[in-house]
């Protein structure tokens, strides 16, 4: 008999089949390296994308929600400045590794003590959203840090 046709480019697994596949991946380097949750990212944002205009375009592309998540990026930045705001919020000034002249503000909410970068850290790898921050009637670019992946 002829071989079966290949599956279509998009197909769905039954719950049991998906569960078996994921169970086989858990703990493998392909899925999890350090037992943290897997973060799905839209990839690396080019330094020239880090603008208020980009933040407004992303915001206007909504509404965002379940199964239609807002754009999420990852990247490595120079950590120029960091300070604690009320609670465990971390306010930072960053510059992309590829463009040290471009400086952006960033904020991470509810940072656990184990993820807090030491004062000696000069580079940070993060997962973030490009966001417009409105404060006292002025709108500025701000990266909303969703997760700190590594500090160097």
């Amino acid at each position: 008999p002829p071989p079966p046709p290949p599956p279509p480019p998009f197909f769905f697994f039954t719950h049991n089949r998906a569960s078996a596949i994921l169970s086989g991946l858990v703990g493998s380097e392909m899925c999890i390296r350090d037992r943290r949750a897997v973060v799905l990212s839209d990839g690396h944002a080019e330094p020239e994308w880090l603008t208020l205009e980009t933040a407004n375009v992303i915001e206007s592309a909504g509404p965002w929600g379940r199964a239609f998540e807002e754009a999420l990026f990852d990247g490595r930045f120079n950590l120029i400045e960091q300070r604690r705001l009320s609670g465990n919020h971390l306010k930072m000034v960053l510059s992309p590794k590829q463009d040290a002249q471009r400086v952006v503000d960033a904020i991470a909410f509810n940072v656990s003590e184990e993820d807090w970068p030491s004062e000696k850290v000069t580079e940070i790898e993060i997962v973030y959203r490009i966001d417009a921050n409105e404060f006292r009637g002025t709108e500025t670019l701000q990266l909303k840090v969703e997760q700190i992946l590594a500090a160097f």
Side-chain angles (χ1 to χ4, degrees):
F10 299 102
F11 54 97
F12 296 94
F13 294 112
T14 64
H15 175 73
N16 290 340
R17 178 74 176 134
S19 179
I21 291 170
L22 290 173
S23 294
L25 291 175
V26 172
S28 73
E29 245 183 50
M30 186 172 159
C31 183
I32 296 176
R33 289 189 182 194
D34 63 352
R35 301 279 186 216
R36 288 186 174 190
V38 172
V39 176
L40 299 178
S41 164
D42 291 298
H44 171 77
E46 295 298 326
E48 57 269 16
W49 297 355
L50 301 178
T51 65
L52 187 55
E53 180 183 12
T54 302
N56 290 327
V57 166
I58 291 171
E59 183 179 346
S60 68
W64 305 105
R66 189 169 186 196
F68 190 58
E69 302 282 329
E70 185 177 351
L72 187 66
F73 302 96
D74 64 272
R76 199 162 173 175
F77 292 82
N78 296 309
L79 179 58
I80 299 168
E81 182 183 314
Q82 64 171 311
R83 70 180 187 279
R84 183 185 300 259
L85 299 180
S86 63
N88 285 340
H89 308 317
L90 175 62
K91 182 75 171 167
M92 297 170 281
V93 177
L94 307 173
S95 68
K97 291 296 295 174
Q98 309 89 328
D99 185 357
Q101 301 304 312
R102 186 179 300 268
V103 176
V104 295
D105 288 331
I107 191 160
F109 295 104
N110 301 313
V111 178
S112 68
E113 290 298 323
E114 67 188 34
D115 290 333
W116 203 274
S118 82
E119 293 297 321
K120 296 177 184 177
V121 168
T122 59
E123 294 179 27
I124 193 166
E125 188 173 359
I126 58 173
V127 176
Y128 61 93
R129 298 186 192 283
I130 301 173
D131 189 54
N133 179 43
E134 189 173 330
F135 184 69
R136 295 184 182 165
T138 303
E139 194 175 52
T140 59
L141 173 69
Q142 177 175 266
L143 304 183
K144 274 191 184 170
V145 177
E146 299 291 327
Q147 187 174 355
I148 299 172
L149 298 174
F152 311 94

